[in-house]
């Protein structure tokens, strides 16, 4: 065996090769812009997915001949194609709006250099090959004002995060501004623990961070109870405080790129609870932009439907009739107008298109208020996929089979494709999935036996069909057994729902409840979900505030796969940028769950909205065809006479 060449020589060869690879990638990007110029003349769509599939299949085959893994080649070229698509879109969008073309843009963003908003703005300018003059702001209002007054060309506003959901404060700002949305961009949020050079993990005592990263990294932080957490207004402020500190006992949560600006090093990375953690930003400007027809576009609008029953559903049916896809729905209370809300919609369509124009004309006739916030190129680039045959990873006998002979993917049990008709669940007075809207009260233990009996009588009189009992482990009175709780509720014709918050409670609760509610914090407990799925009792699965829609439906599938088909979904809020410690109601998920699943859907807004905003949110929940609402007596004023009277009025309004 020949002696290997010196390590330094090998590394020099790799360095030279990397330089050549970068030069080739730059040349490929330049050629992709030539493609965009051709498409500008011919007015052809940006993407040709069949050509992309043929290209990827050929590259995988060529890579295999070079000893390269198929998945490696596929992943590499999916990233290259995404970059090419976004660059072509940026070029054509700029050509369609020549008055916006400048050698430099002044960008207003939240925080200071190094914040995630700063990184998103930087990427936006780099893709358009212009310089960025940055203007850091302390609040979303300051960003909007800077653009309105002409101090900045564009403003960057974070609108949603894959793990934290929507940012309600930004939606509120959009309601009152004359600015238009002209673009969007999405960045990967890679949370790291940043400290001064040479610092070890054992030295860290205090961690500075914005509330949102603290929420998104809660699992990692729970493993380090010795850390003292200090909240900051932005990740940039957190990094700056560490940079200015005199000792090495402090660290910040932020990005590697941001840390480099403050000469901080990442001593721990991949802190986020979820592997995929992305933030989407919208770009606002004083003037609306034109979007060429060959670009995939989004139109964002706001509307108020008024108080007529079914008004929101009627509006959404307009979109369905025009075959328009609504990719996001958000609601916010209208200040000073009880029981009414403003709805924000993202629609995958070009504002200039015939279908979108027809929909707007119809919506103008049936809504009380409607306003287009902007039309802009969509930067959601779905990667082109290859099947196993194209990836060359199946046995040769399988490769020889035709597509018609290939086995079909199993249908997911929660989907309407698996079961077209709605699942109906009946437990005494509680009827779910039958088209009736249910009201369920929620109460925390401990409570005296006599008080529970009187409360059950009052709750039934208020119009509720069931009561959820929380805090089973906190009940101290021996006579107040689970059987007694169920008896007292059942005698007043109330369905008894017991909340399981700890795995140890599952067996006892399942023997005495009419229905079990699995707390959201148990949603990731695979073993418990499988145990619960084998029980012959209806289950309510509450969504974890940190769970994505995919996580939630995966947990649902786990339960159904064990045999229990009596499953009810419960949307109870997701964490957002606006307040990391206080989840926000996600009405878009209610729409998605009802559209994709045959299972009944409940919504619990009790801890998510103020008592003043609750009536409007409750009506919105009903209009979205949810099967019922959960109202916590403790969160909404307690069990005194006035609070219960208020809830009775709300329930009565929901049944009209």
């Amino acid at each position: 065996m020949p002696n290997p060449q010196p390590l330094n020589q090998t590394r020099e060869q790799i360095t030279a090769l990397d330089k050549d690879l970068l030069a080739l990638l730059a040349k490929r990007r330049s050629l992709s812009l030539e493609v965009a110029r051709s498409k500008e003349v011919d007015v052809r769509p940006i993407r040709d997915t069949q050509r992309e599939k043929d290209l990827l299949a050929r590259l995988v085959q060529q890579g295999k001949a070079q000893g390269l893994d198929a998945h490696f080649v596929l992943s590499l070229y999916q990233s290259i194609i995404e970059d090419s698509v976004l660059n072509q879109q940026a070029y054509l969008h700029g050509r369609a709006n020549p008055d916006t073309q400048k050698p430099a843009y002044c960008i207003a963003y939240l925080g200071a250099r190094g914040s995630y908003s700063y990184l998103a703005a930087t990427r936006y300018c780099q893709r358009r090959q212009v310089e960025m003059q940055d203007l850091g702001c302390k609040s979303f209002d300051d960003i909007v004002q800077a653009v309105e007054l002409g101090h900045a060309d564009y403003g960057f506003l974070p609108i949603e995060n894959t793990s934290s959901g929507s940012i309600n404060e930004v939606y509120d700002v959009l309601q009152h501004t004359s600015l238009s949305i002209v673009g969007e961009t999405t960045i990967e949020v890679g949370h790291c623990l940043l400290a001064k050079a040479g610092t070890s993990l054992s030295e860290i005592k205090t961690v500075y961070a914005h509330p949102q990263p603290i929420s998104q990294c809660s699992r990692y932080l729970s493993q380090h109870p010795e850390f003292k957490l200090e909240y900051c207004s932005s990740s940039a402020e957190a990094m700056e405080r560490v940079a200015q500190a005199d000792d090495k006992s402090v660290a910040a949560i932020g990005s590697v790129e941001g840390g480099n600006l403050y000469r901080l090093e990442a001593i721990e990375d991949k802190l986020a609870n979820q592997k995929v953690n992305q933030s989407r930003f919208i770009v606002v400007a004083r003037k609306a932009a034109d979007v060429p027809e060959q670009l995939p576009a989004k139109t964002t609008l706001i509307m108020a439907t008024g108080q007529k029953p079914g008004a929101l559903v009627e509006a959404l049916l307009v979109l369905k009739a025009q075959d328009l896809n609504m990719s996001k729905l958000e609601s916010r209370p209208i200040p000073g107008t009880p029981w009414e809300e403003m709805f924000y919609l993202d629609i995958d369509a070009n504002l200039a298109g015939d279908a979108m124009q027809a929909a707007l004309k119809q919506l103008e006739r049936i809504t009380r208020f409607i306003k287009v916030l902007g039309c802009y190129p969509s930067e959601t680039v779905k990667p082109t996929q290859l099947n196993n045959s194209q990836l060359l990873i199946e046995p040769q006998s399988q490769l020889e089979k035709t597509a018609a002979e290939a086995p079909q993917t199993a249908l997911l049990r929660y989907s309407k494709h698996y079961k077209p008709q709605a699942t109906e669940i009946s437990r005494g007075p509680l009827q779910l999935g039958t088209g009736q809207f249910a009201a369920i009260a929620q109460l925390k233990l401990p409570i005296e036996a006599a008080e529970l009996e009187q409360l059950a009588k009052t709750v039934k009189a208020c119009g509720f069909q069931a009561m959820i009992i929380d805090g089973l482990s906190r009940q101290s009175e021996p006579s107040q057994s689970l059987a007694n709780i169920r008896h007292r509720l059942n005698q007043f014709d109330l369905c008894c729902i017991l909340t399981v918050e700890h795995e140890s409670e599952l067996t006892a609760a399942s023997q005495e409840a009419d229905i079990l509610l699995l707390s959201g914090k148990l949603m990731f407990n695979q073993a418990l979900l499988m145990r619960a799925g084998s029980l012959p009792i209806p289950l309510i699965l509450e969504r974890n505030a940190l769970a994505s829609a995919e996580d939630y439906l995966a947990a649902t599938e786990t339960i159904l796969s064990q045999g229990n088909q009596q499953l009810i979904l419960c949307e109870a809020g997701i964490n957002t940028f606006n307040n990391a410690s206080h989840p926000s109601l996600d009405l878009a998920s209610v729409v998605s769950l009802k559209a994709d699943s045959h299972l009944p859907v409940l919504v619990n807004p009790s801890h998510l909205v103020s008592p003043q905003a609750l009536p409007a949110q409750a009506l919105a929940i009903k209009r979205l065809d949810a099967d019922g609402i959960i109202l916590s007596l403790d969160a909404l004023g307690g069990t005194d006479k006035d609070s219960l009277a208020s809830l009775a009025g709300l329930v009565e309004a929901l049944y009209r």
Side-chain angles (χ1 to χ4, degrees), residues 160 280 412 440 507 591 641 645:
E160 62 180 324
R280 175 179 167 236
L412 296 169
I440 302 172
T507 301
V591 176
K641 183 178 179 180

Side-chain angles (χ1 to χ4, degrees), residues 43-167:
V43 194
R44 282 179 291 161
I46 281 291
R47 300 192 72 179
D48 182 343
T49 53
Q50 185 55 51
R51 183 187 179 282
E52 289 178 13
K53 285 185 178 181
D54 294 342
L55 170 67
L56 291 172
R58 185 174 71 252
L59 290 169
V60 164
Q61 191 169 23
Q62 292 173 350
K64 185 178 182 181
Q66 299 288 336
L68 296 176
D69 177 74
H71 290 287
F72 168 73
V73 174
L74 179 64
S75 176
L76 175 64
Y77 274 90
Q78 282 174 337
S79 297
I80 292 174
I81 289 172
E82 178 183 12
D83 178 75
S84 175
V85 168
L86 292 178
N87 280 313
Q88 290 185 44
Q89 286 187 187
Y91 169 79
L92 292 175
H93 191 224
R95 294 281 293 174
N97 299 273
D99 55 324
T100 67
Q101 301 307 291
K102 302 168 65 175
Y105 293 152
C106 182
I107 307 287
Y109 60 90
L110 186 66
R113 293 190 175 190
S115 68
Y116 286 109
S117 295
Y118 170 83
L119 297 177
T122 301
R123 176 173 299 183
Y124 186 83
C125 290
Q126 287 176 342
R127 194 171 296 284
R128 284 148 185 81
Q129 299 182 354
V130 297
E131 294 184 10
M132 185 177 87
Q133 299 168 353
D134 56 295
L135 178 62
C137 299
K138 294 183 178 180
S139 68
F140 298 135
D141 286 325
D142 289 346
I143 295 172
V144 169
Q145 188 176 32
V147 181
E148 288 177 339
L149 295 177
H151 300 320
D153 298 306
Y154 297 109
F156 267 68
L157 297 168
I159 198 73
E160 62 180 324
N161 177 269
T162 51
S163 64
S164 306
S166 301
I167 303 163

Side-chain angles (χ1 to χ4, degrees), residues 311-501:
L312 178 58
V313 173
E314 184 181 359
L316 298 182
L317 288 175
V318 170
L319 302 180
K320 181 179 180 181
Q322 295 295 333
D323 197 26
L324 295 172
N325 180 57
M326 180 186 66
S327 54
K328 189 169 182 62
L329 172 67
E330 193 72 32
S331 75
R332 295 295 296 154
I334 302 176
T337 310
W339 296 86
E340 291 200 43
E341 299 172 307
M342 192 71 74
F343 294 97
Y344 295 77
L345 295 82
D346 282 350
I347 302 168
D348 295 334
N350 195 314
L351 179 62
D354 293 339
M356 192 68 228
Q357 285 296 313
L360 284 175
K361 290 178 181 178
Q362 290 179 269
L363 290 172
E364 286 173 356
R365 300 189 190 104
I366 63 175
T367 58
R368 189 171 59 81
F369 171 85
I370 188 167
K371 174 186 176 183
V372 174
L373 293 178
C375 178
Y376 48 97
S378 171
E379 291 207 1
T380 303
V381 180
K382 295 182 179 180
T384 300
Q385 302 291 349
L386 299 180
N387 58 36
N388 286 348
S389 174
Q390 292 168 316
L391 283 171
L392 309 176
I393 60 175
E394 293 178 346
Q396 190 60 36
S397 59
Q398 183 67 19
L399 291 175
E400 293 171 355
K401 290 185 177 181
T402 65
E405 295 173 329
Q408 299 297 310
T409 303
L411 293 175
L412 296 169
R413 294 172 178 83
Y414 63 77
S415 73
K416 286 185 175 179
H417 298 291
Y418 183 84
K419 181 182 177 183
Q421 67 273 25
T423 291
E424 297 183 6
I425 296 177
S426 176
R427 276 297 180 270
L430 185 64
Q431 308 289 320
L432 298 174
T434 62
Q436 302 180 44
F437 192 77
I440 302 172
Q442 187 174 25
L443 177 70
K444 282 188 177 181
L445 296 177
I447 184 173
E448 299 291 334
E451 184 182 357
L452 175 62
E453 188 165 325
Q454 180 58 44
L455 184 60
K457 179 179 179 181
T458 305
V459 164
K460 182 63 181 179
C462 289
F464 291 93
Q465 293 94 49
M467 182 180 285
I468 297 172
I469 303 295
D470 294 341
L472 303 184
S473 60
R474 293 191 293 272
Q475 182 60 27
S476 57
E477 184 182 345
S479 62
Q480 192 69 1
S481 66
L482 297 183
N484 285 334
I485 291 175
R486 182 180 185 181
H487 172 72
R488 285 181 168 82
L489 296 181
N490 288 170
Q491 71 178 347
F492 291 104
D493 200 25
L494 286 172
C495 178
C496 176
I497 304 174
L498 300 180
T499 299
V500 177
E501 297 177 300

